[in-house]
């Protein structure tokens, strides 16, 4: 009947409104999540800059803040910063449960990811380092020994020269996103800024 047809049209209109409301809500939630993430990252950056400004002669508080922020905002189980010390990398700061004590030396060689990042001055992202025994024999062995899988290593570059690395590790095979890789580069830049400030301040 005409009444039934009109009623069906009303139901159709209500269904369309419900679908549109759900779409708008999903978009709003996604935008809110992006804004929250951006705000958290800006807060982390501001905190690092604050520590830099309050520790002009002491690099350690800055590096400790950077590794904590990098692990948190890049979703890593573990983070460490290494600085070049002769022919080795020395762990200067570490945050997380994976073994990697401060002061430990890492050889700068092609068989280990951090060493390769220094030699080639570029970022390395290994979704499963344990499976990279041929390309990174030393690094793959360490990943198996200490129980981590995904690794992301960004070199610390000062005027094109590598002065260290910042390394993230995950205990499961879980590749980092492009956004997380870009964010780690920001943390690397801040670490270099802090190191340079201390060097200049000490003259």
């Amino acid at each position: 009947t005409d009444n039934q047809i009109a009623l069906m049209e009303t139901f159709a209109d209500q269904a369309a409104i419900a679908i549109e409301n759900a779409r708008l809500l999903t978009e709003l939630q996604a935008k809110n999540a992006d804004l929250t993430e951006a705000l958290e990252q800006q807060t982390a950056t501001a905190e690092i800059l604050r520590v830099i400004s309050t520790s002009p002669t002491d690099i350690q508080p800055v590096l400790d803040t950077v590794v904590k922020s990098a692990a948190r905002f890049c979703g890593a189980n573990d983070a460490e910063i290494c600085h070049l010390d002769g022919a080795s990398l020395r762990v200067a700061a570490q945050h997380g449960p994976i073994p990697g004590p401060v002061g430990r030396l890492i050889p700068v060689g092609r068989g280990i990811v951090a060493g390769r990042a220094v030699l080639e001055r570029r970022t390395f992202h290994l979704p499963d380092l344990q499976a990279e025994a041929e390309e990174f024999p030393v690094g793959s062995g360490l990943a198996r020994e200490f129980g981590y899988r995904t690794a992301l290593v960004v070199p610390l570059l000062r005027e094109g020269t590598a002065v260290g690395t910042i390394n993230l590790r995950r205990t499961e095979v879980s590749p980092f996103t492009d956004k997380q890789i870009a964010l780690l580069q920001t943390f690397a830049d801040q670490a270099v800024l802090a190191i340079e400030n201390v060097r200049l301040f000490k003259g």
Side-chain angles (χ1 to χ4, degrees), residues 56-126:
T57 61
D58 187 3
I59 191 65
Q60 198 59 50
V62 181
L63 299 184
D64 289 341
T65 301
V66 170
V67 290
K68 288 177 184 177
S69 295
R72 177 184 174 191
F73 293 106
C74 295
N77 298 105
D78 184 271
E80 61 183 8
I81 287 178
C82 305
H83 67 84
L84 203 56
D85 186 355
S88 300
L89 286 164
R90 185 180 295 276
V91 178
Q94 190 267 341
H95 177 77
I98 298 172
V102 171
R104 177 173 61 97
L105 291 176
I106 301 169
V108 175
R110 301 186 65 79
I112 194 162
V113 184
R116 182 87 66 88
V118 167
L119 292 172
E120 299 186 9
R121 300 185 302 279
R122 66 184 180 94
T123 296
F124 283 87
H125 180 210
L126 287 304

Side-chain angles (χ1 to χ4, degrees), residues 181-198:
I181 294 170
L183 181 58
L184 188 62
Q185 181 62 63
T186 299
F187 287 128
D189 292 342
Q190 289 178 324
V192 171
L193 174 64
I195 292 167
E196 183 68 4
N197 280 354
V198 171

Side-chain angles (χ1 to χ4, degrees), residues 43 153 163 169:
T43 301
V153 179
V163 297
R169 300 179 287 191

Side-chain angles (χ1 to χ4, degrees), residues 115-147:
R116 182 87 66 88
V118 167
L119 292 172
E120 299 186 9
R121 300 185 302 279
R122 66 184 180 94
T123 296
F124 283 87
H125 180 210
L126 287 304
D128 186 2
L129 183 54
Q130 290 188 19
E132 298 287 344
E134 185 174 341
E135 185 73 13
F136 296 99
V138 179
S140 181
L142 290 172
R144 287 192 297 276
E145 180 181 353
F146 295 119

Side-chain angles (χ1 to χ4, degrees), residues 125 152 175-185:
H125 180 210
L152 174 62
F176 292 91
T177 65
D178 290 343
K179 186 182 291 186
Q180 289 167 334
I181 294 170
L183 181 58
L184 188 62
Q185 181 62 63

